[in-house]
Amino acid sequence: MKPTGSLTRGAGDAQGLGMTSQRARDRLVMRLREEGIRDLRVLDVMRKLPRHLFVDEALASRAYEDTALPIGHGQTISQPWIVARMTAVLLEGGVPQRVLEIGTGSGYQAAVLASLVPELFTVERIEELLRQARRRFRQMKIGNIRSRHDDGALGWSAEAPFDAIILTAAGEIVPQELFAQLRPGGVLLAPVGPSGQQQLVRMRAGADGVETEVLGPVSFVPLLGGLA
Ligand code: SAH
């Protein structure tokens, strides 16, 4: 991948069509509002954050379409709507202080969250994707993300407990170890189920066990075991 340029790349970008400009982001945010995203904090962050710098330059002109895009290694950067929805759900009931994300991928969801919460931790099993995401965090001077190359099913025990945990890859079940790293009252948000039948599920660690709420159908890449 070529160097991705600076945060201010936009109106005069390589495409010359403003496909990666502020206007393109404004249009995306307008569309997210039409599609039911109401949280102004989330919309504001997505209006500012340059999603085109989280994909390969060859795909930059498509970065503000509301669609998932390939990021290599068979993985995808999540669709903006789902990033907005999951972020808004995490902020319901107050801003979580320490958040763990499983599946760094491009780093976009992590960067959105890091703009809204004090401390963001993220784990990725594919080393090359993590390396690229870290470079983006550095370039964009995002200082409150800590990342780790590991199997996210194990969570990040040394940094637990977390106020919220978000999975951006779908397992048939939610790895048990993650509940152990959730603060009492904390929220875990995850796509769950086999390909084609996944549901976004919110789980709350209550006094009498885990309370589960199904939020609707989603489509994510699978949660895989082991490192790559
Ligand atoms: N949040 C990402 C979404 C990337 S797709 C973004 O905004 O771009 C999901 C990611 O989860 C992929 O990068 C995949 O490699 C990773 N993943 C899948 N199983 C994993 C596991 N067990 N541990 C850590 N990461 C995992």
Side-chain angles (χ1 to χ4, degrees), residues 3-215:
T4 44
S6 74
L7 285 182
T8 50
R9 197 174 77 179
D13 60 348
Q15 287 75 28
L17 299 167
M19 301 294 260
T20 60
S21 68
Q22 186 57 55
R23 274 176 54 202
R25 275 195 293 284
D26 289 345
R27 274 196 301 272
L28 170 64
V29 165
M30 218 182 326
R31 174 154 180 195
L32 295 174
R33 291 181 73 128
E34 284 163 12
E35 305 274 331
I37 305 298
R38 293 275 174 267
D39 192 312
L40 296 179
R41 297 166 291 185
V42 176
L43 292 171
D44 200 44
V45 166
M46 292 182 67
R47 185 177 287 119
K48 289 176 186 150
L49 197 66
R51 187 171 184 258
H52 65 282
L53 300 185
F54 290 83
V55 295
D56 192 88
E57 257 185 319
L59 289 170
S61 65
R62 300 192 55 201
Y64 300 106
E65 294 173 17
D66 189 19
T67 175
L69 292 169
I71 55 172
H73 305 268
Q75 307 304 319
T76 56
I77 180 173
S78 304
Q79 180 193 353
W81 185 86
I82 195 70
V83 171
R85 172 86 173 114
M86 289 177 85
T87 307
V89 168
L90 278 193
L91 296 180
E92 275 174 22
V95 176
Q97 299 297 296
R98 292 164 63 82
V99 178
L100 173 66
E101 178 197 32
I102 308 301
T104 315
S106 68
Y108 181 69
Q109 170 77 76
V112 169
L113 279 167
S115 305
L116 293 160
V117 309
E119 287 184 276
L120 196 278
F121 300 82
T122 183
V123 182
E124 170 59 54
R125 63 180 284 279
I126 300 177
E127 191 162 28
E128 173 62 15
L129 289 179
L130 186 59
R131 205 180 57 75
Q132 291 174 5
R134 281 174 172 158
R135 201 185 55 218
R136 293 178 182 124
F137 301 151
R138 271 197 306 277
Q139 272 178 353
M140 295 178 204
K141 301 192 168 26
I142 304 172
N144 59 336
I145 297 180
R146 290 184 51 207
S147 60
R148 176 180 168 84
H149 179 223
D150 204 353
D151 179 354
L154 307 172
W156 192 336
S157 57
E159 295 294 346
F162 301 98
D163 301 297
I165 300 179
I166 172 174
L167 281 78
T168 65
E172 303 250 343
I173 53 155
V174 176
Q176 200 54 44
E177 179 57 28
L178 296 180
F179 288 107
Q181 297 181 21
L182 202 56
R183 175 181 67 72
V187 168
L188 187 148
L189 188 61
V192 182
S195 176
Q197 300 168 45
Q198 297 166 8
Q199 293 284 343
L200 183 62
V201 169
R202 168 167 50 190
M203 298 171 176
R204 224 180 243 108
D208 342 299
V210 179
E211 185 189 305
T212 302
E213 195 184 338
V214 176
L215 302 178

